[in-house]
mmCIF file of all heavy atoms in Angstrom:
data_model
loop_
_atom_site.group_PDB
_atom_site.id
_atom_site.type_symbol
_atom_site.label_atom_id
_atom_site.label_comp_id
_atom_site.label_asym_id
_atom_site.label_seq_id
_atom_site.Cartn_x
_atom_site.Cartn_y
_atom_site.Cartn_z
ATOM 1 N N THR A 28 -5.988 10.521 -13.473
ATOM 2 C CA THR A 28 -4.604 10.744 -13.078
ATOM 3 C C THR A 28 -4.339 10.117 -11.714
ATOM 4 O O THR A 28 -5.066 10.376 -10.752
ATOM 5 C CB THR A 28 -4.303 12.250 -13.015
ATOM 6 O OG1 THR A 28 -4.595 12.826 -14.274
ATOM 7 C CG2 THR A 28 -2.854 12.485 -12.668
ATOM 8 N N SER A 29 -3.324 9.296 -11.635
ATOM 9 C CA SER A 29 -3.054 8.572 -10.382
ATOM 10 C C SER A 29 -2.731 9.516 -9.240
ATOM 11 O O SER A 29 -2.952 9.181 -8.074
ATOM 12 C CB SER A 29 -1.916 7.578 -10.594
ATOM 13 O OG SER A 29 -0.707 8.256 -10.905
ATOM 14 N N SER A 30 -2.235 10.709 -9.544
ATOM 15 C CA SER A 30 -1.852 11.622 -8.467
ATOM 16 C C SER A 30 -3.056 12.163 -7.707
ATOM 17 O O SER A 30 -2.892 12.841 -6.697
ATOM 18 C CB SER A 30 -1.023 12.781 -9.025
ATOM 19 O OG SER A 30 -1.746 13.501 -9.989
ATOM 20 N N ASN A 31 -4.274 11.876 -8.168
ATOM 21 C CA ASN A 31 -5.471 12.270 -7.423
ATOM 22 C C ASN A 31 -5.818 11.286 -6.313
ATOM 23 O O ASN A 31 -6.791 11.506 -5.582
ATOM 24 C CB ASN A 31 -6.666 12.366 -8.373
ATOM 25 C CG ASN A 31 -6.547 13.517 -9.348
ATOM 26 O OD1 ASN A 31 -5.890 14.517 -9.063
ATOM 27 N ND2 ASN A 31 -7.164 13.387 -10.500
ATOM 28 N N TYR A 32 -5.047 10.223 -6.193
ATOM 29 C CA TYR A 32 -5.408 9.125 -5.292
ATOM 30 C C TYR A 32 -4.246 8.696 -4.403
ATOM 31 O O TYR A 32 -3.101 8.618 -4.846
ATOM 32 C CB TYR A 32 -5.876 7.916 -6.102
ATOM 33 C CG TYR A 32 -7.083 8.198 -6.946
ATOM 34 C CD1 TYR A 32 -6.951 8.700 -8.231
ATOM 35 C CD2 TYR A 32 -8.359 7.985 -6.443
ATOM 36 C CE1 TYR A 32 -8.068 8.979 -8.999
ATOM 37 C CE2 TYR A 32 -9.477 8.259 -7.206
ATOM 38 C CZ TYR A 32 -9.330 8.761 -8.480
ATOM 39 O OH TYR A 32 -10.438 9.033 -9.231
ATOM 40 N N HIS A 33 -4.590 8.389 -3.151
ATOM 41 C CA HIS A 33 -3.697 7.569 -2.347
ATOM 42 C C HIS A 33 -3.866 6.136 -2.865
ATOM 43 O O HIS A 33 -4.959 5.743 -3.284
ATOM 44 C CB HIS A 33 -4.077 7.597 -0.872
ATOM 45 C CG HIS A 33 -4.115 8.963 -0.265
ATOM 46 N ND1 HIS A 33 -3.146 9.917 -0.491
ATOM 47 C CD2 HIS A 33 -5.022 9.529 0.582
ATOM 48 C CE1 HIS A 33 -3.437 11.013 0.185
ATOM 49 N NE2 HIS A 33 -4.579 10.811 0.840
ATOM 50 N N MET A 34 -2.792 5.376 -2.800
ATOM 51 C CA MET A 34 -2.828 4.011 -3.321
ATOM 52 C C MET A 34 -2.438 3.015 -2.242
ATOM 53 O O MET A 34 -1.524 3.268 -1.445
ATOM 54 C CB MET A 34 -1.873 3.873 -4.502
ATOM 55 C CG MET A 34 -2.203 4.778 -5.676
ATOM 56 S SD MET A 34 -3.774 4.414 -6.452
ATOM 57 C CE MET A 34 -3.469 2.758 -7.077
ATOM 58 N N GLY A 35 -3.124 1.888 -2.243
ATOM 59 C CA GLY A 35 -2.833 0.855 -1.253
ATOM 60 C C GLY A 35 -2.657 -0.509 -1.893
ATOM 61 O O GLY A 35 -3.128 -0.761 -3.000
ATOM 62 N N TRP A 36 -1.949 -1.350 -1.169
ATOM 63 C CA TRP A 36 -1.845 -2.777 -1.504
ATOM 64 C C TRP A 36 -2.468 -3.576 -0.361
ATOM 65 O O TRP A 36 -2.189 -3.316 0.806
ATOM 66 C CB TRP A 36 -0.395 -3.205 -1.687
ATOM 67 C CG TRP A 36 0.230 -2.763 -2.975
ATOM 68 C CD1 TRP A 36 1.023 -1.671 -3.170
ATOM 69 C CD2 TRP A 36 0.127 -3.405 -4.247
ATOM 70 N NE1 TRP A 36 1.413 -1.588 -4.484
ATOM 71 C CE2 TRP A 36 0.885 -2.646 -5.172
ATOM 72 C CE3 TRP A 36 -0.511 -4.555 -4.707
ATOM 73 C CZ2 TRP A 36 1.013 -3.004 -6.511
ATOM 74 C CZ3 TRP A 36 -0.383 -4.899 -6.049
ATOM 75 C CH2 TRP A 36 0.364 -4.128 -6.933
ATOM 76 N N PHE A 37 -3.272 -4.540 -0.740
ATOM 77 C CA PHE A 37 -3.900 -5.458 0.206
ATOM 78 C C PHE A 37 -3.618 -6.878 -0.256
ATOM 79 O O PHE A 37 -3.246 -7.109 -1.401
ATOM 80 C CB PHE A 37 -5.412 -5.222 0.252
ATOM 81 C CG PHE A 37 -5.807 -3.923 0.892
ATOM 82 C CD1 PHE A 37 -5.646 -2.712 0.230
ATOM 83 C CD2 PHE A 37 -6.345 -3.902 2.171
ATOM 84 C CE1 PHE A 37 -5.998 -1.505 0.819
ATOM 85 C CE2 PHE A 37 -6.711 -2.701 2.775
ATOM 86 C CZ PHE A 37 -6.540 -1.515 2.099
ATOM 87 N N ARG A 38 -3.811 -7.826 0.634
ATOM 88 C CA ARG A 38 -3.657 -9.225 0.254
ATOM 89 C C ARG A 38 -4.722 -10.071 0.911
ATOM 90 O O ARG A 38 -5.230 -9.738 1.984
ATOM 91 C CB ARG A 38 -2.260 -9.744 0.581
ATOM 92 C CG ARG A 38 -1.910 -9.764 2.059
ATOM 93 C CD ARG A 38 -0.439 -10.149 2.231
ATOM 94 N NE ARG A 38 -0.029 -10.144 3.630
ATOM 95 C CZ ARG A 38 1.227 -10.327 4.028
ATOM 96 N NH1 ARG A 38 2.211 -10.524 3.127
ATOM 97 N NH2 ARG A 38 1.525 -10.305 5.312
ATOM 98 N N GLN A 39 -5.023 -11.173 0.238
ATOM 99 C CA GLN A 39 -6.050 -12.077 0.736
ATOM 100 C C GLN A 39 -5.590 -13.500 0.522
ATOM 101 O O GLN A 39 -5.417 -13.954 -0.613
ATOM 102 C CB GLN A 39 -7.380 -11.827 0.024
ATOM 103 C CG GLN A 39 -8.535 -12.594 0.601
ATOM 104 C CD GLN A 39 -9.870 -12.082 0.094
ATOM 105 O OE1 GLN A 39 -9.960 -11.406 -0.933
ATOM 106 N NE2 GLN A 39 -10.935 -12.403 0.808
ATOM 107 N N ALA A 40 -5.402 -14.199 1.632
ATOM 108 C CA ALA A 40 -5.044 -15.606 1.589
ATOM 109 C C ALA A 40 -6.315 -16.441 1.525
ATOM 110 O O ALA A 40 -7.394 -15.964 1.906
ATOM 111 C CB ALA A 40 -4.224 -15.970 2.821
ATOM 112 N N PRO A 41 -6.237 -17.683 1.048
ATOM 113 C CA PRO A 41 -7.426 -18.529 0.947
ATOM 114 C C PRO A 41 -8.156 -18.651 2.278
ATOM 115 O O PRO A 41 -7.541 -18.950 3.308
ATOM 116 C CB PRO A 41 -6.857 -19.876 0.487
ATOM 117 C CG PRO A 41 -5.607 -19.529 -0.228
ATOM 118 C CD PRO A 41 -5.037 -18.346 0.509
ATOM 119 N N GLY A 42 -9.442 -18.382 2.261
ATOM 120 C CA GLY A 42 -10.254 -18.500 3.457
ATOM 121 C C GLY A 42 -10.067 -17.398 4.476
ATOM 122 O O GLY A 42 -10.638 -17.465 5.569
ATOM 123 N N LYS A 43 -9.308 -16.383 4.111
ATOM 124 C CA LYS A 43 -9.039 -15.283 5.048
ATOM 125 C C LYS A 43 -9.628 -13.973 4.513
ATOM 126 O O LYS A 43 -9.961 -13.843 3.338
ATOM 127 C CB LYS A 43 -7.523 -15.124 5.227
ATOM 128 C CG LYS A 43 -6.807 -16.360 5.762
ATOM 129 C CD LYS A 43 -7.056 -16.573 7.222
ATOM 130 C CE LYS A 43 -6.276 -17.735 7.783
ATOM 131 N NZ LYS A 43 -4.821 -17.479 7.771
ATOM 132 N N GLU A 44 -9.704 -12.997 5.391
ATOM 133 C CA GLU A 44 -10.164 -11.680 4.995
ATOM 134 C C GLU A 44 -9.061 -10.936 4.237
ATOM 135 O O GLU A 44 -7.879 -11.218 4.415
ATOM 136 C CB GLU A 44 -10.561 -10.866 6.227
ATOM 137 C CG GLU A 44 -11.795 -11.369 6.936
ATOM 138 C CD GLU A 44 -12.188 -10.471 8.096
ATOM 139 O OE1 GLU A 44 -11.387 -9.586 8.446
ATOM 140 O OE2 GLU A 44 -13.274 -10.648 8.633
ATOM 141 N N ARG A 45 -9.479 -9.992 3.435
ATOM 142 C CA ARG A 45 -8.526 -9.131 2.745
ATOM 143 C C ARG A 45 -7.913 -8.172 3.773
ATOM 144 O O ARG A 45 -8.625 -7.534 4.549
ATOM 145 C CB ARG A 45 -9.218 -8.352 1.630
ATOM 146 C CG ARG A 45 -8.281 -7.644 0.689
ATOM 147 C CD ARG A 45 -9.039 -7.098 -0.507
ATOM 148 N NE ARG A 45 -9.661 -8.174 -1.285
ATOM 149 C CZ ARG A 45 -10.272 -7.987 -2.443
ATOM 150 N NH1 ARG A 45 -10.337 -6.764 -2.985
ATOM 151 N NH2 ARG A 45 -10.825 -9.001 -3.084
ATOM 152 N N LYS A 46 -6.575 -8.081 3.755
ATOM 153 C CA LYS A 46 -5.891 -7.293 4.774
ATOM 154 C C LYS A 46 -4.940 -6.269 4.166
ATOM 155 O O LYS A 46 -4.363 -6.500 3.102
ATOM 156 C CB LYS A 46 -5.134 -8.217 5.726
ATOM 157 C CG LYS A 46 -6.025 -9.098 6.581
ATOM 158 C CD LYS A 46 -5.218 -9.878 7.597
ATOM 159 C CE LYS A 46 -6.115 -10.694 8.508
ATOM 160 N NZ LYS A 46 -5.330 -11.453 9.521
ATOM 161 N N PHE A 47 -4.772 -5.200 4.881
ATOM 162 C CA PHE A 47 -3.882 -4.113 4.488
ATOM 163 C C PHE A 47 -2.429 -4.572 4.497
ATOM 164 O O PHE A 47 -2.005 -5.285 5.412
ATOM 165 C CB PHE A 47 -4.070 -2.944 5.452
ATOM 166 C CG PHE A 47 -3.068 -1.832 5.275
ATOM 167 C CD1 PHE A 47 -3.192 -0.942 4.239
ATOM 168 C CD2 PHE A 47 -2.011 -1.700 6.157
ATOM 169 C CE1 PHE A 47 -2.273 0.085 4.063
ATOM 170 C CE2 PHE A 47 -1.079 -0.680 6.013
ATOM 171 C CZ PHE A 47 -1.212 0.210 4.962
ATOM 172 N N VAL A 48 -1.689 -4.147 3.473
ATOM 173 C CA VAL A 48 -0.259 -4.436 3.402
ATOM 174 C C VAL A 48 0.554 -3.149 3.460
ATOM 175 O O VAL A 48 1.448 -2.995 4.289
ATOM 176 C CB VAL A 48 0.090 -5.213 2.114
ATOM 177 C CG1 VAL A 48 1.603 -5.401 2.001
ATOM 178 C CG2 VAL A 48 -0.626 -6.554 2.087
ATOM 179 N N ALA A 49 0.246 -2.217 2.557
ATOM 180 C CA ALA A 49 1.022 -0.976 2.480
ATOM 181 C C ALA A 49 0.207 0.068 1.737
ATOM 182 O O ALA A 49 -0.700 -0.279 0.972
ATOM 183 C CB ALA A 49 2.355 -1.207 1.779
ATOM 184 N N ALA A 50 0.562 1.330 1.954
ATOM 185 C CA ALA A 50 -0.102 2.422 1.239
ATOM 186 C C ALA A 50 0.864 3.567 1.056
ATOM 187 O O ALA A 50 1.844 3.710 1.804
ATOM 188 C CB ALA A 50 -1.349 2.883 1.979
ATOM 189 N N ILE A 51 0.555 4.389 0.063
ATOM 190 C CA ILE A 51 1.386 5.549 -0.236
ATOM 191 C C ILE A 51 0.473 6.711 -0.572
ATOM 192 O O ILE A 51 -0.556 6.540 -1.235
ATOM 193 C CB ILE A 51 2.365 5.233 -1.387
ATOM 194 C CG1 ILE A 51 3.374 6.360 -1.581
ATOM 195 C CG2 ILE A 51 1.632 4.901 -2.678
ATOM 196 C CD1 ILE A 51 4.565 5.958 -2.453
ATOM 197 N N SER A 52 0.851 7.887 -0.094
ATOM 198 C CA SER A 52 0.029 9.070 -0.332
ATOM 199 C C SER A 52 0.109 9.502 -1.792
ATOM 200 O O SER A 52 0.982 9.069 -2.552
ATOM 201 C CB SER A 52 0.464 10.203 0.585
ATOM 202 O OG SER A 52 1.807 10.563 0.325
ATOM 203 N N TRP A 53 -0.779 10.405 -2.161
ATOM 204 C CA TRP A 53 -0.914 10.807 -3.558
ATOM 205 C C TRP A 53 0.393 11.339 -4.143
ATOM 206 O O TRP A 53 0.674 11.146 -5.325
ATOM 207 C CB TRP A 53 -2.012 11.862 -3.691
ATOM 208 C CG TRP A 53 -1.665 13.176 -3.046
ATOM 209 C CD1 TRP A 53 -1.851 13.522 -1.739
ATOM 210 C CD2 TRP A 53 -1.052 14.299 -3.675
ATOM 211 N NE1 TRP A 53 -1.379 14.792 -1.521
ATOM 212 C CE2 TRP A 53 -0.897 15.299 -2.688
ATOM 213 C CE3 TRP A 53 -0.637 14.575 -4.983
ATOM 214 C CZ2 TRP A 53 -0.327 16.536 -2.970
ATOM 215 C CZ3 TRP A 53 -0.070 15.801 -5.266
ATOM 216 C CH2 TRP A 53 0.082 16.766 -4.261
ATOM 217 N N ASN A 54 1.197 11.982 -3.308
ATOM 218 C CA ASN A 54 2.445 12.573 -3.800
ATOM 219 C C ASN A 54 3.684 11.780 -3.395
ATOM 220 O O ASN A 54 4.800 12.208 -3.633
ATOM 221 C CB ASN A 54 2.588 14.004 -3.297
ATOM 222 C CG ASN A 54 2.611 14.094 -1.790
ATOM 223 O OD1 ASN A 54 2.447 13.095 -1.093
ATOM 224 N ND2 ASN A 54 2.808 15.296 -1.270
ATOM 225 N N GLY A 55 3.475 10.635 -2.765
ATOM 226 C CA GLY A 55 4.596 9.799 -2.353
ATOM 227 C C GLY A 55 5.267 10.228 -1.067
ATOM 228 O O GLY A 55 6.233 9.607 -0.638
ATOM 229 N N ALA A 56 4.788 11.285 -0.437
ATOM 230 C CA ALA A 56 5.452 11.823 0.747
ATOM 231 C C ALA A 56 5.260 10.962 1.983
ATOM 232 O O ALA A 56 6.080 10.994 2.905
ATOM 233 C CB ALA A 56 4.954 13.239 1.017
ATOM 234 N N SER A 57 4.165 10.218 2.023
ATOM 235 C CA SER A 57 3.865 9.391 3.201
ATOM 236 C C SER A 57 3.635 7.946 2.784
ATOM 237 O O SER A 57 3.042 7.682 1.736
ATOM 238 C CB SER A 57 2.608 9.907 3.907
ATOM 239 O OG SER A 57 2.794 11.222 4.372
ATOM 240 N N THR A 58 4.109 7.038 3.624
ATOM 241 C CA THR A 58 3.865 5.620 3.418
ATOM 242 C C THR A 58 3.464 4.979 4.744
ATOM 243 O O THR A 58 3.734 5.522 5.824
ATOM 244 C CB THR A 58 5.104 4.890 2.873
ATOM 245 O OG1 THR A 58 6.192 5.071 3.786
ATOM 246 C CG2 THR A 58 5.505 5.410 1.504
ATOM 247 N N SER A 59 2.831 3.832 4.625
ATOM 248 C CA SER A 59 2.423 3.086 5.809
ATOM 249 C C SER A 59 2.504 1.607 5.490
ATOM 250 O O SER A 59 2.210 1.194 4.362
ATOM 251 C CB SER A 59 0.997 3.481 6.210
ATOM 252 O OG SER A 59 0.577 2.764 7.358
ATOM 253 N N TYR A 60 2.903 0.807 6.493
ATOM 254 C CA TYR A 60 3.069 -0.622 6.288
ATOM 255 C C TYR A 60 2.451 -1.407 7.442
ATOM 256 O O TYR A 60 2.483 -0.985 8.599
ATOM 257 C CB TYR A 60 4.559 -0.991 6.215
ATOM 258 C CG TYR A 60 5.287 -0.374 5.055
ATOM 259 C CD1 TYR A 60 5.940 0.845 5.193
ATOM 260 C CD2 TYR A 60 5.333 -1.022 3.822
ATOM 261 C CE1 TYR A 60 6.612 1.423 4.126
ATOM 262 C CE2 TYR A 60 6.009 -0.450 2.749
ATOM 263 C CZ TYR A 60 6.636 0.768 2.909
ATOM 264 O OH TYR A 60 7.312 1.322 1.835
ATOM 265 N N GLU A 61 1.936 -2.571 7.090
ATOM 266 C CA GLU A 61 1.517 -3.524 8.113
ATOM 267 C C GLU A 61 2.770 -4.040 8.800
ATOM 268 O O GLU A 61 3.826 -4.187 8.162
ATOM 269 C CB GLU A 61 0.721 -4.635 7.455
ATOM 270 C CG GLU A 61 -0.004 -5.565 8.408
ATOM 271 C CD GLU A 61 0.855 -6.732 8.803
ATOM 272 O OE1 GLU A 61 1.645 -7.192 7.977
ATOM 273 O OE2 GLU A 61 0.755 -7.167 9.975
ATOM 274 N N ASP A 62 2.672 -4.316 10.086
ATOM 275 C CA ASP A 62 3.869 -4.625 10.872
ATOM 276 C C ASP A 62 4.680 -5.793 10.305
ATOM 277 O O ASP A 62 5.919 -5.768 10.329
ATOM 278 C CB ASP A 62 3.479 -4.922 12.322
ATOM 279 C CG ASP A 62 3.123 -3.666 13.096
ATOM 280 O OD1 ASP A 62 3.414 -2.554 12.614
ATOM 281 O OD2 ASP A 62 2.547 -3.807 14.200
ATOM 282 N N SER A 63 4.016 -6.823 9.810
ATOM 283 C CA SER A 63 4.742 -8.031 9.411
ATOM 284 C C SER A 63 5.565 -7.828 8.131
ATOM 285 O O SER A 63 6.428 -8.667 7.822
ATOM 286 C CB SER A 63 3.779 -9.195 9.207
ATOM 287 O OG SER A 63 2.961 -8.992 8.075
ATOM 288 N N VAL A 64 5.331 -6.745 7.405
ATOM 289 C CA VAL A 64 6.085 -6.524 6.169
ATOM 290 C C VAL A 64 7.092 -5.383 6.302
ATOM 291 O O VAL A 64 7.867 -5.142 5.361
ATOM 292 C CB VAL A 64 5.141 -6.259 4.971
ATOM 293 C CG1 VAL A 64 4.113 -7.358 4.850
ATOM 294 C CG2 VAL A 64 4.491 -4.885 5.057
ATOM 295 N N LYS A 65 7.071 -4.694 7.416
ATOM 296 C CA LYS A 65 8.020 -3.590 7.596
ATOM 297 C C LYS A 65 9.456 -4.094 7.491
ATOM 298 O O LYS A 65 9.811 -5.115 8.051
ATOM 299 C CB LYS A 65 7.804 -2.935 8.958
ATOM 300 C CG LYS A 65 6.559 -2.070 9.036
ATOM 301 C CD LYS A 65 6.406 -1.452 10.427
ATOM 302 C CE LYS A 65 5.163 -0.590 10.501
ATOM 303 N NZ LYS A 65 4.957 -0.023 11.854
ATOM 304 N N GLY A 66 10.259 -3.365 6.739
ATOM 305 C CA GLY A 66 11.643 -3.750 6.539
ATOM 306 C C GLY A 66 11.843 -4.738 5.410
ATOM 307 O O GLY A 66 12.987 -4.995 5.005
ATOM 308 N N ARG A 67 10.770 -5.324 4.902
ATOM 309 C CA ARG A 67 10.868 -6.286 3.794
ATOM 310 C C ARG A 67 10.205 -5.771 2.521
ATOM 311 O O ARG A 67 10.684 -6.032 1.423
ATOM 312 C CB ARG A 67 10.215 -7.610 4.185
ATOM 313 C CG ARG A 67 10.843 -8.289 5.390
ATOM 314 C CD ARG A 67 10.300 -9.702 5.591
ATOM 315 N NE ARG A 67 8.868 -9.721 5.852
ATOM 316 C CZ ARG A 67 7.995 -10.406 5.113
ATOM 317 N NH1 ARG A 67 8.392 -11.106 4.075
ATOM 318 N NH2 ARG A 67 6.698 -10.393 5.423
ATOM 319 N N PHE A 68 9.096 -5.048 2.665
ATOM 320 C CA PHE A 68 8.342 -4.543 1.522
ATOM 321 C C PHE A 68 8.534 -3.022 1.421
ATOM 322 O O PHE A 68 8.638 -2.329 2.432
ATOM 323 C CB PHE A 68 6.850 -4.820 1.676
ATOM 324 C CG PHE A 68 6.454 -6.270 1.574
ATOM 325 C CD1 PHE A 68 7.386 -7.302 1.582
ATOM 326 C CD2 PHE A 68 5.113 -6.606 1.474
ATOM 327 C CE1 PHE A 68 7.015 -8.628 1.490
ATOM 328 C CE2 PHE A 68 4.709 -7.929 1.377
ATOM 329 C CZ PHE A 68 5.667 -8.938 1.387
ATOM 330 N N THR A 69 8.536 -2.531 0.185
ATOM 331 C CA THR A 69 8.623 -1.101 -0.055
ATOM 332 C C THR A 69 7.601 -0.708 -1.116
ATOM 333 O O THR A 69 7.589 -1.275 -2.205
ATOM 334 C CB THR A 69 10.020 -0.696 -0.532
ATOM 335 O OG1 THR A 69 10.995 -1.092 0.434
ATOM 336 C CG2 THR A 69 10.101 0.818 -0.725
ATOM 337 N N ILE A 70 6.759 0.252 -0.773
ATOM 338 C CA ILE A 70 5.791 0.773 -1.730
ATOM 339 C C ILE A 70 6.344 2.058 -2.326
ATOM 340 O O ILE A 70 6.972 2.863 -1.631
ATOM 341 C CB ILE A 70 4.416 1.000 -1.068
ATOM 342 C CG1 ILE A 70 3.353 1.334 -2.114
ATOM 343 C CG2 ILE A 70 4.479 2.047 0.022
ATOM 344 C CD1 ILE A 70 1.929 1.337 -1.558
ATOM 345 N N SER A 71 6.108 2.240 -3.616
ATOM 346 C CA SER A 71 6.556 3.454 -4.288
ATOM 347 C C SER A 71 5.591 3.744 -5.428
ATOM 348 O O SER A 71 4.745 2.911 -5.771
ATOM 349 C CB SER A 71 7.987 3.305 -4.804
ATOM 350 O OG SER A 71 8.083 2.246 -5.748
ATOM 351 N N ARG A 72 5.731 4.919 -6.004
ATOM 352 C CA ARG A 72 4.861 5.279 -7.114
ATOM 353 C C ARG A 72 5.599 6.188 -8.078
ATOM 354 O O ARG A 72 6.503 6.924 -7.691
ATOM 355 C CB ARG A 72 3.578 5.942 -6.619
ATOM 356 C CG ARG A 72 3.748 7.287 -5.977
ATOM 357 C CD ARG A 72 2.451 7.746 -5.295
ATOM 358 N NE ARG A 72 1.365 7.876 -6.261
ATOM 359 C CZ ARG A 72 0.070 7.897 -5.926
ATOM 360 N NH1 ARG A 72 -0.283 7.800 -4.650
ATOM 361 N NH2 ARG A 72 -0.859 8.029 -6.854
ATOM 362 N N ASP A 73 5.172 6.124 -9.325
ATOM 363 C CA ASP A 73 5.679 7.008 -10.365
ATOM 364 C C ASP A 73 4.451 7.618 -11.023
ATOM 365 O O ASP A 73 3.824 6.986 -11.893
ATOM 366 C CB ASP A 73 6.531 6.227 -11.370
ATOM 367 C CG ASP A 73 7.183 7.114 -12.403
ATOM 368 O OD1 ASP A 73 6.696 8.247 -12.623
ATOM 369 O OD2 ASP A 73 8.167 6.685 -13.022
ATOM 370 N N ASN A 74 4.093 8.815 -10.612
ATOM 371 C CA ASN A 74 2.871 9.425 -11.126
ATOM 372 C C ASN A 74 2.981 9.776 -12.608
ATOM 373 O O ASN A 74 1.972 9.835 -13.311
ATOM 374 C CB ASN A 74 2.513 10.654 -10.309
ATOM 375 C CG ASN A 74 1.920 10.300 -8.953
ATOM 376 O OD1 ASN A 74 1.437 9.188 -8.749
ATOM 377 N ND2 ASN A 74 1.964 11.246 -8.024
ATOM 378 N N ALA A 75 4.194 9.994 -13.084
ATOM 379 C CA ALA A 75 4.366 10.262 -14.511
ATOM 380 C C ALA A 75 3.997 9.041 -15.350
ATOM 381 O O ALA A 75 3.552 9.170 -16.491
ATOM 382 C CB ALA A 75 5.805 10.676 -14.790
#
């Protein structure tokens, strides 16, 4: 069940390290974003 997990998105460009983009808590109550995507990207979840 996805609701047992916090979920994150990461990205990796060629020749670069994998980096954090965004995350959302198990119940959707909390989110976090890397500075360069704030205001442009939105993370969400549908546990159903």
Side-chain angles (χ1 to χ4, degrees):
T28 303
S29 64
S30 59
N31 292 333
Y32 299 88
H33 303 316
M34 299 296 296
W36 285 98
F37 290 75
R38 64 186 178 186
Q39 188 167 19
K43 301 286 184 67
E44 292 184 350
R45 191 171 298 187
K46 293 186 177 181
F47 172 77
V48 175
I51 188 166
S52 62
W53 68 274
N54 60 356
S57 298
T58 58
S59 180
Y60 297 92
E61 191 270 326
D62 285 346
S63 69
V64 307
K65 286 180 180 178
R67 300 189 298 123
F68 291 11
T69 302
I70 189 170
S71 61
R72 67 190 299 161
D73 185 339
N74 285 340

